[in-house]
Amino acid sequence: MSKYFKLTVTSMTSHHLYINAPDGVDEDKIREHWRDFDGGDFSTDEDGDWEFSDLYEVEADDMDMFQVDWEDEIDG
């Protein structure tokens, strides 16, 4: 089974990313590792630093092309 989350970060712009995570991963775990997603692009950008904005669980049907798998980003 999987859980699905929508992570939103902001800098001078806003960016969202959907995360496909195993059942054992909860919101706290994603909040702890949010900068590790999207290839580390959330560290800095040319317009400023990214800041955590929002995170919530979504249904699988809500996922779009901006998604990553937990295993690929954290465990891999």
Side-chain angles (χ1 to χ4, degrees):
M1 297 278 306
S2 293
K3 290 183 179 179
Y4 306 95
F5 296 91
K6 181 179 181 182
L7 169 65
T8 304
V9 297
T10 56
S11 182
M12 297 299 286
T13 61
S14 181
H15 179 70
H16 74 268
L17 184 66
Y18 289 94
I19 302 164
N20 179 5
D23 274 340
V25 174
D26 60 11
E27 287 186 25
D28 289 338
K29 191 84 161 168
I30 292 176
R31 287 176 197 269
E32 179 182 329
H33 291 281
W34 72 271
R35 287 192 183 271
D36 297 328
F37 293 100
D38 205 20
D41 288 341
F42 293 155
S43 313
T44 59
D45 70 2
E46 56 195 40
D47 295 322
D49 291 333
W50 289 105
E51 294 181 7
F52 177 89
S53 183
D54 196 14
L55 174 70
Y56 55 91
E57 195 168 346
V58 296
E59 297 295 323
D61 295 343
D62 294 331
M63 303 283 279
D64 69 13
M65 63 186 233
F66 298 106
Q67 63 180 285
V68 297
D69 290 330
W70 174 266
E71 293 85 5
D72 294 343
E73 298 298 322
I74 303 301
D75 299 333

